[in-house]
Amino acid sequence: TSIVFTGDIELSEYVQAAYDANGIDGVASQSIQSLMKDADITMINNEFCFSERGEKAPDKQYTFRVNPSYVSILNDLGVDIAGLANNHVLDYGHDALTDTFTTLTDAGIDYTGAGNSLEEASRLIIKEDAAGRTYGFLAASHVIPVASWNVLNSQPGEFCFYDETDLLNAIEAADSQVDYLFVMVHWG
């Protein structure tokens, strides 16, 4: 089984314009496309929200929001799972985050690391290979700009591990459910 993880993915206006002009070939080289699409499982850190709603977070130098139609870029790259625990997914507030959930779900991309409750934000994504081996995926962040982004303080929100208890509990719960567990952590 081949599994690919990426670092931060942000679909900037430059990337969007390149995609509009040349499709996925304008965004990623053939070797990157092959690496991601040919993998059995590809997981990204989705470092933005998919939405056209919301207000820009105050006092942030960089804020990232992408029109939901560009989820096709992730599909073209073969993305299976999006980690949403990072310091940009709530750049445009709760409505934009829930739009992100809907956009990814409608595109057939699983997500973890954010949700409408702690249970959703810490949801274990399980994939199985042809041999019956199971692989689990979690995402959690140790860097958010304000405490209200933590799902414990405001819903929807992100799965954070400033206090490691919930993350350790999620890992322990996953242990009996999967053969292999991967935890995508974000801390700037």
Side-chain angles (χ1 to χ4, degrees):
T1 299
S2 61
I3 303 173
V4 169
F5 296 94
T6 73
D8 301 352
I9 299 288
E10 200 281 297
L11 304 179
S12 67
E13 290 178 6
Y14 175 83
V15 171
Q16 294 170 38
Y19 185 74
D20 291 341
N22 297 302
I24 200 63
D25 290 334
V27 173
S29 68
Q30 285 296 320
S31 61
I32 294 295
Q33 290 180 53
S34 294
L35 176 70
M36 293 178 72
K37 287 193 285 192
D38 294 345
D40 296 304
I41 304 165
T42 297
M43 182 177 185
I44 67 166
N45 176 36
N46 199 99
E47 187 94 0
F48 60 91
C49 55
F50 275 115
S51 185
E52 293 185 288
R53 300 190 299 158
E55 297 293 322
K56 181 178 173 180
D59 303 322
K60 273 196 90 185
Q61 183 176 7
Y62 301 106
T63 54
F64 304 133
R65 178 176 62 179
V66 174
N67 183 300
S69 66
Y70 286 103
V71 74
S72 58
I73 294 174
L74 302 187
N75 286 137
D76 289 350
L77 290 171
V79 173
D80 300 295
I81 306 168
L84 298 181
N86 57 61
N87 56 309
H88 286 288
V89 77
L90 269 157
D91 278 353
Y92 284 81
H94 292 136
D95 289 341
L97 179 58
T98 58
D99 289 347
T100 303
F101 302 157
T102 302
T103 300
L104 292 169
T105 298
D106 290 350
I109 298 170
D110 291 320
Y111 64 87
T112 186
N116 291 303
S117 64
L118 174 61
E119 291 72 27
E120 283 184 29
S122 62
R123 180 170 46 120
L124 176 68
I125 303 299
I126 300 175
K127 302 288 185 182
E128 186 173 338
D129 68 13
R133 291 178 297 243
T134 54
Y135 303 86
F137 302 86
L138 295 169
S141 185
H142 199 273
V143 56
I144 53 175
V146 290
S148 63
W149 286 28
N150 188 325
V151 73
L152 297 177
N153 299 326
S154 181
Q155 291 79 39
E158 293 184 52
F159 188 32
C160 296
F161 64 102
Y162 288 99
D163 173 343
E164 299 165 357
T165 305
D166 290 327
L167 179 57
L168 293 174
N169 288 340
I171 290 168
E172 186 175 344
D175 185 49
S176 63
Q177 299 178 61
V178 295
D179 297 312
Y180 303 95
L181 177 65
F182 301 92
V183 182
M184 179 175 275
V185 295
H186 192 74
W187 52 55

